Amino acid sequence: MHPIMTLKDQITAAAIDLFSNKGIRRVSMDDVSRKANVSKRTLYDVFDDKEALLIEVLIKMREPFNEEIILLEKMADTALDVILQFNEKMLANPTMMMICDDFHEDIKRYPAAFDVILKSKHAAFDKIISLFRRGEQEAVFLSDINYDIISQMAQKQMSNTSPPEAFLKYSFEEVHNTMLFILLRGICTEAGRKILEKYTIKRKMRGQKDI
C-alpha cells in the first residue's frame, strides 16, 4: 500500500522533475505550480520562496540514497558488497543520479541550499571512509592505502553525471562502471577481487541478455 502523497510531497515531486531536467534558473515558481497542479498562492502557502522549495527538493532527493545505504549496510556481507550493490541500485534508478549540468551551476546562487549540498557531500565522504575502514577490517580492502584520497575519488565518480566528450560514444553505465571497477580493483585484496569478479561476471551476463 503506497503512502498518501501530501500537498507538500506533490509540489516537491513536481519541482524535482523540473529542476533535474531544466536546472534551477530556468524554472519559475509558476512552472512549479502548473506542474504540481496547484495555484501559485497555495504553492507559497507551503513554501515561502524558491530557495525553501529547493532545500526540500535536495532533502527528498537524498532520501533514496540514505535509505538504500542503511539497508545495504545491514544486509550485505562486506563493505565491498555494499558499494557494488549500491552502485547497481543507482544505475537501475536513473532519477537517483541524472541531474542536468545547469542544476549544479545554478544552485551556487542559493547560499542556504548550497550549504545543504556541502553538508550532504561531507556526509557522503564520511560514509565512504567508514565503508573503506570496514572493508579493511573484513580484509577485502588493502590496509596500506590512504583512504581519504580514495574516498574523494570514489565520491567524484559516484556523482559524475557528465563524462568527457571523448566518452560520449559509450553509454553512461559503461563509462561509470569502468572507472569505478578500476578504482576498486586497485584497493582490493585477493579476497576482495574474488567478490569483484563475481559482480563483473554478473554484469556481463546481464549485458548479454539485453542484446
Short mmCIF file of all heavy atoms in Angstrom, two decimals, residues 46-72:
data_model
loop_
_atom_site.label_atom_id
_atom_site.label_comp_id
_atom_site.label_asym_id
_atom_site.label_seq_id
_atom_site.Cartn_x
_atom_site.Cartn_y
_atom_site.Cartn_z
N VAL A 46 2.80 26.84 1.16
CA VAL A 46 3.59 25.68 1.58
C VAL A 46 5.08 26.03 1.67
O VAL A 46 5.77 25.61 2.60
CB VAL A 46 3.37 24.50 0.61
CG1 VAL A 46 4.22 23.30 1.04
CG2 VAL A 46 1.90 24.11 0.54
N PHE A 47 5.56 26.81 0.70
CA PHE A 47 6.97 27.19 0.65
C PHE A 47 7.09 28.72 0.54
O PHE A 47 6.49 29.32 -0.35
CB PHE A 47 7.68 26.54 -0.54
CG PHE A 47 7.76 25.04 -0.46
CD1 PHE A 47 6.89 24.25 -1.19
CD2 PHE A 47 8.70 24.43 0.36
CE1 PHE A 47 6.96 22.86 -1.12
CE2 PHE A 47 8.77 23.05 0.45
CZ PHE A 47 7.90 22.27 -0.29
N ASP A 48 7.86 29.29 1.43
CA ASP A 48 7.97 30.75 1.48
C ASP A 48 8.57 31.33 0.21
O ASP A 48 8.19 32.41 -0.25
CB ASP A 48 8.85 31.19 2.67
CG ASP A 48 8.16 30.93 3.99
OD1 ASP A 48 6.92 30.83 4.01
OD2 ASP A 48 8.87 30.83 5.01
N ASP A 49 9.54 30.62 -0.37
CA ASP A 49 10.20 31.11 -1.57
C ASP A 49 10.85 29.95 -2.33
O ASP A 49 10.76 28.79 -1.91
CB ASP A 49 11.24 32.19 -1.24
CG ASP A 49 12.26 31.74 -0.19
OD1 ASP A 49 12.54 30.52 -0.14
OD2 ASP A 49 12.76 32.58 0.56
N LYS A 50 11.50 30.27 -3.41
CA LYS A 50 12.11 29.24 -4.26
C LYS A 50 13.22 28.49 -3.54
O LYS A 50 13.38 27.28 -3.70
CB LYS A 50 12.65 29.90 -5.54
CG LYS A 50 13.06 28.93 -6.63
CD LYS A 50 13.44 29.70 -7.89
CE LYS A 50 13.77 28.77 -9.03
NZ LYS A 50 14.13 29.53 -10.27
N GLU A 51 13.98 29.20 -2.71
CA GLU A 51 15.07 28.53 -2.01
C GLU A 51 14.55 27.54 -0.98
O GLU A 51 15.12 26.45 -0.81
CB GLU A 51 15.99 29.55 -1.34
CG GLU A 51 17.23 28.90 -0.73
CD GLU A 51 18.34 29.89 -0.44
OE1 GLU A 51 18.03 31.06 -0.14
OE2 GLU A 51 19.52 29.49 -0.53
N ALA A 52 13.47 27.88 -0.30
CA ALA A 52 12.86 26.94 0.65
C ALA A 52 12.40 25.67 -0.07
O ALA A 52 12.57 24.56 0.44
CB ALA A 52 11.69 27.60 1.37
N LEU A 53 11.82 25.85 -1.25
CA LEU A 53 11.41 24.71 -2.06
C LEU A 53 12.62 23.90 -2.49
O LEU A 53 12.61 22.67 -2.44
CB LEU A 53 10.63 25.21 -3.29
CG LEU A 53 10.27 24.16 -4.34
CD1 LEU A 53 9.42 23.05 -3.73
CD2 LEU A 53 9.52 24.83 -5.50
N LEU A 54 13.67 24.58 -2.88
CA LEU A 54 14.88 23.92 -3.34
C LEU A 54 15.52 23.08 -2.23
O LEU A 54 15.98 21.96 -2.46
CB LEU A 54 15.87 24.95 -3.86
CG LEU A 54 17.20 24.45 -4.43
CD1 LEU A 54 16.96 23.44 -5.54
CD2 LEU A 54 18.02 25.63 -4.95
N ILE A 55 15.52 23.61 -1.03
CA ILE A 55 16.08 22.87 0.12
C ILE A 55 15.29 21.59 0.34
O ILE A 55 15.87 20.51 0.58
CB ILE A 55 16.08 23.76 1.38
CG1 ILE A 55 17.14 24.86 1.24
CG2 ILE A 55 16.33 22.91 2.63
CD1 ILE A 55 17.08 25.91 2.32
N GLU A 56 13.96 21.67 0.27
CA GLU A 56 13.13 20.47 0.42
C GLU A 56 13.40 19.47 -0.70
O GLU A 56 13.44 18.25 -0.46
CB GLU A 56 11.64 20.86 0.44
CG GLU A 56 10.69 19.70 0.66
CD GLU A 56 10.84 19.04 2.01
OE1 GLU A 56 11.38 19.67 2.94
OE2 GLU A 56 10.39 17.88 2.15
N VAL A 57 13.60 19.97 -1.91
CA VAL A 57 13.94 19.11 -3.05
C VAL A 57 15.24 18.35 -2.77
O VAL A 57 15.33 17.14 -3.00
CB VAL A 57 14.07 19.95 -4.33
CG1 VAL A 57 14.84 19.20 -5.42
CG2 VAL A 57 12.69 20.34 -4.86
N LEU A 58 16.23 19.05 -2.28
CA LEU A 58 17.53 18.42 -2.00
C LEU A 58 17.41 17.34 -0.93
O LEU A 58 18.01 16.28 -1.03
CB LEU A 58 18.54 19.48 -1.57
CG LEU A 58 18.95 20.49 -2.65
CD1 LEU A 58 19.78 21.62 -2.04
CD2 LEU A 58 19.73 19.81 -3.77
N ILE A 59 16.63 17.63 0.10
CA ILE A 59 16.42 16.65 1.17
C ILE A 59 15.73 15.40 0.63
O ILE A 59 16.14 14.27 0.90
CB ILE A 59 15.59 17.27 2.31
CG1 ILE A 59 16.40 18.37 3.02
CG2 ILE A 59 15.15 16.20 3.31
CD1 ILE A 59 15.61 19.20 3.99
N LYS A 60 14.68 15.61 -0.18
CA LYS A 60 13.93 14.48 -0.74
C LYS A 60 14.78 13.68 -1.73
O LYS A 60 14.66 12.44 -1.80
CB LYS A 60 12.68 14.99 -1.46
CG LYS A 60 11.56 15.42 -0.53
CD LYS A 60 11.00 14.24 0.24
CE LYS A 60 9.83 14.65 1.12
NZ LYS A 60 9.33 13.51 1.94
N MET A 61 15.63 14.35 -2.47
CA MET A 61 16.47 13.67 -3.45
C MET A 61 17.52 12.78 -2.78
O MET A 61 17.99 11.80 -3.35
CB MET A 61 17.15 14.68 -4.37
CG MET A 61 16.20 15.33 -5.37
SD MET A 61 16.97 16.63 -6.35
CE MET A 61 18.03 15.68 -7.43
N ARG A 62 17.90 13.14 -1.55
CA ARG A 62 18.89 12.34 -0.83
C ARG A 62 18.28 11.13 -0.13
O ARG A 62 18.98 10.17 0.17
CB ARG A 62 19.60 13.20 0.22
CG ARG A 62 20.49 14.28 -0.32
CD ARG A 62 21.55 13.76 -1.23
NE ARG A 62 22.36 12.70 -0.67
CZ ARG A 62 23.32 12.05 -1.33
NH1 ARG A 62 23.54 12.34 -2.59
NH2 ARG A 62 24.03 11.10 -0.75
N GLU A 63 16.99 11.16 0.15
CA GLU A 63 16.35 10.09 0.92
C GLU A 63 16.57 8.70 0.34
O GLU A 63 16.89 7.76 1.09
CB GLU A 63 14.86 10.38 1.10
CG GLU A 63 14.58 11.44 2.15
CD GLU A 63 13.10 11.70 2.35
OE1 GLU A 63 12.28 11.09 1.60
OE2 GLU A 63 12.76 12.50 3.22
N PRO A 64 16.40 8.50 -0.98
CA PRO A 64 16.62 7.15 -1.52
C PRO A 64 18.05 6.65 -1.30
O PRO A 64 18.26 5.47 -1.02
CB PRO A 64 16.33 7.31 -3.02
CG PRO A 64 15.45 8.50 -3.11
CD PRO A 64 15.91 9.42 -2.03
N PHE A 65 19.03 7.56 -1.42
CA PHE A 65 20.43 7.19 -1.18
C PHE A 65 20.61 6.74 0.27
O PHE A 65 21.19 5.69 0.54
CB PHE A 65 21.35 8.38 -1.44
CG PHE A 65 21.46 8.78 -2.89
CD1 PHE A 65 20.63 9.75 -3.42
CD2 PHE A 65 22.39 8.18 -3.72
CE1 PHE A 65 20.74 10.12 -4.75
CE2 PHE A 65 22.51 8.55 -5.05
CZ PHE A 65 21.69 9.52 -5.57
N ASN A 66 20.13 7.56 1.19
CA ASN A 66 20.31 7.27 2.62
C ASN A 66 19.62 5.97 3.02
O ASN A 66 20.19 5.14 3.76
CB ASN A 66 19.77 8.43 3.46
CG ASN A 66 20.51 9.72 3.21
OD1 ASN A 66 21.67 9.71 2.81
ND2 ASN A 66 19.85 10.85 3.44
N GLU A 67 18.39 5.78 2.55
CA GLU A 67 17.63 4.57 2.90
C GLU A 67 18.31 3.32 2.34
O GLU A 67 18.38 2.29 3.00
CB GLU A 67 16.20 4.69 2.37
CG GLU A 67 15.38 5.75 3.10
CD GLU A 67 14.06 6.03 2.41
OE1 GLU A 67 13.80 5.40 1.34
OE2 GLU A 67 13.29 6.88 2.90
N GLU A 68 18.81 3.43 1.10
CA GLU A 68 19.45 2.29 0.46
C GLU A 68 20.74 1.89 1.17
O GLU A 68 21.00 0.70 1.40
CB GLU A 68 19.74 2.63 -1.00
CG GLU A 68 19.87 1.44 -1.92
CD GLU A 68 18.58 0.63 -2.01
OE1 GLU A 68 17.53 1.17 -2.37
OE2 GLU A 68 18.66 -0.58 -1.69
N ILE A 69 21.53 2.88 1.54
CA ILE A 69 22.79 2.60 2.24
C ILE A 69 22.54 1.95 3.59
O ILE A 69 23.19 0.96 3.96
CB ILE A 69 23.61 3.89 2.42
CG1 ILE A 69 24.34 4.25 1.12
CG2 ILE A 69 24.61 3.76 3.54
CD1 ILE A 69 25.50 3.31 0.79
N ILE A 70 21.58 2.47 4.34
CA ILE A 70 21.26 1.91 5.66
C ILE A 70 20.85 0.45 5.52
O ILE A 70 21.28 -0.43 6.29
CB ILE A 70 20.14 2.73 6.34
CG1 ILE A 70 20.67 4.11 6.74
CG2 ILE A 70 19.59 2.00 7.57
CD1 ILE A 70 19.59 5.08 7.20
N LEU A 71 20.00 0.15 4.54
CA LEU A 71 19.54 -1.21 4.31
C LEU A 71 20.70 -2.13 3.91
O LEU A 71 20.85 -3.23 4.45
CB LEU A 71 18.47 -1.22 3.23
CG LEU A 71 17.88 -2.60 2.86
CD1 LEU A 71 17.20 -3.23 4.08
CD2 LEU A 71 16.91 -2.47 1.70
N LEU A 72 21.53 -1.66 2.97
CA LEU A 72 22.63 -2.49 2.48
C LEU A 72 23.67 -2.76 3.56
O LEU A 72 24.25 -3.84 3.62
CB LEU A 72 23.28 -1.82 1.26
CG LEU A 72 22.47 -1.85 -0.03
CD1 LEU A 72 23.14 -1.02 -1.10
CD2 LEU A 72 22.28 -3.28 -0.52
#
